[in-house]
Amino acid sequence: MHNLRNITQAVAAATLLLAGTAQAADWTIVQTTTLTATVSLTQGASTKVTGAIQALNSIKLKNSDKLTGSGSAQAVSTDSNITLTQGNKANSGATQSLNDIQALDIGTAAAGQVAGITVTQTVSGIPTTTLKQTNITGGSAANVQSINNAQANAAAGNVTNLNQTYTGKTTLDLSQTSGKSDDQQAVNRIALAASSTGSVGLGAVQNLTAADDNDFTQNSSASGLIQAGNLIDLQSGSMVGAVGTDDQVFTTVAGDTVDLIQKGGSGNNGRQALNAIVYTTL
């Protein structure tokens, strides 16, 4: 029998939950961060950070635990600017985001449930959102920078009933000048683990409402870089579910501008898109 655990956290600064129990468990967790001050997150600027997580709301469960139950949620709301900078010494899978979830399964059914209940990650109200991924010299590959990030942390993990929402306001600016292969930068990101046998689907939805001005710049000769508005990284896993249930939506209105600029060395297999689904083992 699985345990069902319910935790609610409401804070005015960063929230972190680390869970490790003696047996597999189903967790329901609510995290809310409301900010009135300008926020700057910097990871790996001068000191190497290996496999580290930096976030405002963070849920990191052990590899046998599931984030499920009766509707887990993460939310960030602010009327001030936010800047995320992932620097030269981000190393070997370091992760930087506003909302971050890592668990075996995300959004799957808990014990006694017929179907999973939607897990939500929401960010809204930010006038200017800036993401800078600048790992040039000091760290190694496969680092992640995003606004909303959800990833299965074991090969058998699945991501199902998950709704990621970012609502832009004035400016959304993503710049990726990383010199390390396979780094990823996105607004909304869903990912399976390496060597995955799991799946993404059955109600996984990514919604990005553009700001007035939206700039995506990828400038590097490193191999395998990915920059996207909405990103699903399947590794060697799969997409499942009926047509129309798994959606990536990038929405603009009249007067918005969207610029995608990709430059750097030729043949570097970089990917840049507003909506991207990638099978990275190809």
Side-chain angles (χ1 to χ4, degrees), residues 102-152:
Q102 298 184 30
L104 170 64
D105 287 343
I106 299 171
T108 53
Q113 289 182 330
V114 176
I117 306 298
T118 299
V119 176
T120 60
Q121 292 180 307
T122 305
V123 175
S124 62
I126 306 171
T128 297
T129 306
T130 305
L131 278 71
K132 301 176 182 179
Q133 194 175 45
T134 60
N135 186 354
I136 306 298
T137 58
S140 65
N143 302 293
V144 172
Q145 186 185 53
S146 63
I147 298 297
N148 293 313
N149 184 58
Q151 62 188 62

Side-chain angles (χ1 to χ4, degrees), residues 61-67 102-106 151-159:
L61 306 184
K62 71 175 187 176
N63 290 358
S64 58
D65 282 3
K66 302 176 181 181
L67 185 69
Q102 298 184 30
L104 170 64
D105 287 343
I106 299 171
Q151 62 188 62
N153 57 11
N158 305 282
V159 180

Side-chain angles (χ1 to χ4, degrees), residues 38-72:
T38 298
V39 176
S40 178
L41 278 71
T42 302
Q43 183 185 53
S46 57
T47 304
K48 185 174 288 187
V49 287
T50 300
I53 298 172
Q54 184 184 50
L56 295 184
N57 295 318
S58 178
I59 299 170
K60 175 68 166 70
L61 306 184
K62 71 175 187 176
N63 290 358
S64 58
D65 282 3
K66 302 176 181 181
L67 185 69
T68 177
S70 57
S72 296

